[in-house]
């Protein structure tokens, strides 16, 4: 994994710029030449893509092709050249066209001031909360959207939400009415909408911690009167043990580790393990280094993520799991775009 030199400050000012320019370059000497070649390849790709979009036939397929080509270019030229190509792509007239897609536009404009906010993920979930924003799009924007939210990354994110619901429901079935769950970086806690355990009142509490007060407000109104307890808190607060929130049968973090350098990820995992009851489970998810949409996300969406391999996940698990650990696993979701680690504390 390419490790950026910054560490998230724990209050989430996640910006692509905090990652950019920090990648070591394997091609320092011939970088200008490589950049020129990469620019030329991009020019060929985008000309074909724009012709296909202008022709107006099978637009989602044209977007699928473009996303695949950007992944190839990113991979072929390496991180340092790619970082310098990003602003060139963003300044290209194609950006205005692709940003007619409401999902792409929201990510690029960052209305909440940081990357990967919970409303952005609502586009992926097809949630009614963003229906108005979607409805404001041009017909071309909607055609692009039809593919962008069905690309492998978003498919994996929807599966991730369902996996979280299943983990919560299975924990409730195993531990009974005293079940306590903690979601770190909960966003809008959409996984709770399908939870049978929550709907049937079989949870003692489901603490939803997030740094964004707007997301915490959304959770408070939607889940008022249930076992859900919203907490406006941050990774930094957890690391400083500032939040006195007790212990849990299940703790999970989805859509968070993708922004955390190893050092912070390891420390956070240790803290979460400390907050588990005996027999409790900690799960964290990360976009994998096999993800297919990275080139499009980092350029047109201005959304950078730290992708992790199986070995990267194991390094975090093995550096943070204490001796009282029963079971450690690292596994992929169905299309391998997201990778998961689960650690069970000894009973
Ligand atoms: C990509 S969203 C994921 C939301 C949700 N977990 C999901 O899977 O749909 C990332 C969330 O992480 C939160 N976040 C980012 N950095 C954080 C930090 N340092 N402390 C707490 N929350 C953070 C953001 O506010 C945002 O709601």
């Amino acid at each position: 994994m390419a490790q950026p030199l910054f560490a998230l400050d724990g209050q989430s000012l996640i910006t692509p710029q905090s990652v950019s320019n920090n990648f070591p370059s394997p091609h320092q000497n011939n970088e200008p030449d490589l950049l020129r070649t990469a620019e030329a390849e991009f020019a060929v790709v985008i000309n074909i893509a724009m012709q296909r979009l202008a022709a107006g036939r099978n637009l989602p397929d044209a977007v699928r092709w473009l996303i695949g080509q950007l992944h190839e270019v990113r991979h072929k030229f390496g991180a340092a050249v790619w970082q310098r190509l990003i602003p060139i792509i963003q300044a290209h007239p194609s950006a205005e066209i692709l940003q007619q897609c409401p999902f792409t536009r929201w990510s690029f404009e960052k209305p909440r001031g940081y990357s990967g906010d919970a409303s952005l993920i609502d586009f992926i979930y097809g949630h009614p909360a963003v229906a108005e924003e979607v409805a404001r799009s041009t017909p071309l924007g909607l055609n692009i959207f039809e593919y962008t939210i069905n690309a492998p990354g978003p498919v994996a994110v929807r599966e991730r939400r369902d996996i979280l619901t299943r983990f919560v429901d299975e924990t409730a079935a195993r531990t009974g009415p005293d079940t306590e769950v903690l979601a770190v970086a909960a966003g809008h806690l959409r996984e709770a909408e399908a939870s049978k355990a929550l709907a049937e009142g079989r949870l003692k509490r489901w603490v939803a911690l997030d740094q964004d007060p707007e997301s915490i407000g959304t959770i408070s109104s939607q889940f008022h009167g249930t076992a859900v307890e919203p907490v406006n808190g941050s990774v930094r607060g957890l690391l400083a043990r500032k939040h006195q929130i007790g212990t849990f049968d299940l703790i999970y973090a989805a859509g968070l580790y993708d922004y955390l350098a190893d050092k912070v990820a390891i420390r956070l995992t240790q803290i979460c393990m400390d907050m588990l009851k005996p027999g409790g489970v900690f799960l964290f998810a990360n976009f994998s280094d096999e993800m297919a949409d990275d080139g499009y996300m980092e350029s047109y969406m201005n959304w950078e993520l730290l992708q992790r391999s199986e070995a990267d996940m194991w390094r975090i698990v093995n550096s943070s799991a204490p001796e009282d650990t029963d079971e450690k696993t690292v596994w992929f979701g169905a299309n391998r775009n997201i990778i998961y680690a689960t650690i069970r504390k000894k009973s």
Side-chain angles (χ1 to χ4, degrees):
M1 182 190 74
Q3 275 291 326
L5 303 180
F6 80 103
L8 185 74
D9 69 354
Q11 303 277 31
S12 178
L13 286 173
I14 302 160
T15 63
Q17 286 67 35
S18 50
V19 183
S20 302
N21 303 324
N22 284 314
F23 292 101
S25 169
H27 311 289
Q28 224 124 43
N29 294 333
N30 59 352
E31 220 175 88
D33 289 347
L34 273 176
L35 181 61
R36 268 194 296 276
T37 315
E39 261 190 272
E41 281 205 19
F42 168 68
V44 172
V45 165
I46 202 62
N47 279 341
I48 297 172
M50 288 302 102
Q51 278 169 21
R52 291 184 67 177
L53 288 179
R57 280 190 310 275
N58 202 355
L59 297 181
D61 195 52
V63 180
R64 183 185 58 75
W65 181 83
L66 172 63
I67 291 178
Q69 293 297 310
L70 290 174
H71 173 72
E72 295 297 324
V73 172
R74 181 188 187 278
H75 185 72
K76 180 169 165 187
F77 290 95
V81 172
W82 174 250
Q83 286 301 322
R84 296 180 58 192
L85 192 61
I86 289 175
I88 297 170
I89 299 177
Q90 289 170 345
H92 188 271
S94 56
E96 266 184 40
I97 295 171
L98 289 157
Q99 283 157 8
Q100 289 181 34
C101 157
F103 174 49
T104 308
R105 183 176 59 240
W106 188 280
S107 177
F108 189 79
E109 289 179 350
K110 308 193 191 312
R112 301 264 188 105
Y114 61 91
S115 291
D117 65 89
S119 293
L120 179 72
I121 312 305
D122 277 349
F123 287 98
I124 297 177
Y125 295 150
H127 200 275
V130 292
E132 259 181 48
E133 189 66 30
V134 172
R136 272 200 289 273
S137 307
T138 61
L140 176 60
L142 289 177
N143 269 305
I144 299 169
F145 183 53
E146 193 182 319
Y147 182 72
T148 54
I149 48 146
N150 288 310
V155 166
V157 168
R158 288 193 285 275
E159 183 197 38
R160 184 181 73 190
R161 174 200 54 195
D162 299 342
I163 288 173
L164 298 178
T165 309
R166 180 161 57 76
F167 263 73
V168 171
D169 285 359
E170 285 175 3
T171 305
R174 199 175 55 246
T175 26
D178 282 338
T179 301
E180 297 174 276
V181 177
L182 168 63
V184 182
H188 289 154
L189 202 76
R190 296 302 185 200
E191 60 275 20
E193 293 181 352
S195 165
K196 288 210 170 72
L198 181 71
E200 292 165 7
R202 289 188 282 109
L203 294 173
K204 185 172 172 191
R205 58 190 190 119
W206 188 339
V207 177
L209 180 142
D210 200 281
Q211 58 82 37
D212 188 331
E214 215 175 308
S215 296
I216 288 300
T218 302
I219 297 177
S220 300
S221 12
Q222 184 176 357
F223 296 105
H224 183 74
T226 72
V228 172
E229 293 178 15
V231 172
N232 193 193
S234 65
V235 170
R236 180 188 279 178
L238 288 173
L239 297 184
R241 298 184 191 276
K242 209 177 91 190
H243 309 296
Q244 299 300 317
I245 47 179
T247 55
F248 300 90
D249 301 283
L250 171 68
I251 303 178
Y252 64 85
L256 176 66
Y257 275 60
D258 319 81
Y259 306 101
L260 304 183
D262 267 18
K263 207 172 145 200
V264 183
I266 290 167
R267 190 71 198 115
L268 179 62
T269 307
Q270 288 166 341
I271 299 274
C272 288
M273 291 304 297
D274 281 354
M275 291 195 296
L276 281 180
K277 297 181 199 172
V281 170
F282 178 58
L283 173 153
F284 66 94
N286 210 112
F287 273 101
S288 87
D289 63 349
E290 295 179 30
M291 73 179 288
D293 317 339
D294 44 9
Y296 183 87
M297 287 169 70
E298 291 172 356
S299 55
Y300 290 110
M301 301 184 81
N302 202 23
W303 184 11
E304 288 208 36
L305 298 165
L306 294 181
Q307 303 169 15
R308 285 194 162 98
S309 66
E310 225 171 325
D312 294 328
M313 296 293 275
W314 274 117
R315 197 173 51 249
I316 296 173
V317 168
N318 288 329
S319 315
S320 19
E323 270 149 31
D324 56 346
T325 301
D326 233 8
E327 209 181 291
K328 301 182 266 189
T329 42
V330 171
W331 42 283
F332 284 94
N335 72 6
R336 296 181 72 88
N337 275 235
I338 294 184
I339 186 163
Y340 298 84
T342 35
I343 314 174
R344 182 184 299 280
K345 199 167 176 166
K346 270 202 175 119
S347 304

